[in-house]
Amino acid sequence: MAKSGRLNHNRFRARLRKHGIAGAAAENVARGQSNVASVVASWQNSRGHRRNMLGNYSRAGVAVARDPSSGNRPFWTMILAR
């Protein structure tokens, strides 16, 4: 996403399978927030993202990526899984 400069959920299930994650899972994405607190606040204030975070998941991973081709804006992803 950082390389293309666009948010998406493309190939979400395929990406999970590649890393051995099966079953229920959700993904939150965002761009532009400068730090963890601001991206989490943004997700909390979004009905769908908040629903994902409050879902019945036991594992979570969060990452941030930047790419010069997208102006070095931060692109955030949170994966939640059982």
Side-chain angles (χ1 to χ4, degrees):
M1 287 182 279
K3 191 170 188 167
S4 71
R6 296 188 311 206
L7 292 177
N8 67 65
H9 295 282
N10 294 350
R11 301 172 11 100
F12 176 59
R13 292 288 168 198
R15 287 185 282 121
L16 292 178
R17 282 192 302 274
K18 180 180 175 182
H19 296 285
I21 299 170
E27 178 180 53
N28 288 349
V29 297
R31 78 169 163 217
Q33 292 84 355
S34 61
N35 57 55
V36 172
S38 61
V39 76
V40 170
S42 175
W43 285 330
Q44 286 177 328
N45 290 321
S46 162
R47 178 184 235 162
H49 293 107
R50 183 176 178 82
R51 182 174 49 245
N52 285 346
M53 292 191 303
L54 295 176
N56 185 22
Y57 302 109
S58 58
R59 299 184 290 166
V62 179
V64 63
R66 298 170 190 264
D67 191 272
S69 66
S70 63
N72 283 321
R73 289 179 298 184
F75 281 73
W76 301 88
T77 301
M78 172 188 279
I79 303 292
L80 302 150
R82 285 193 208 167

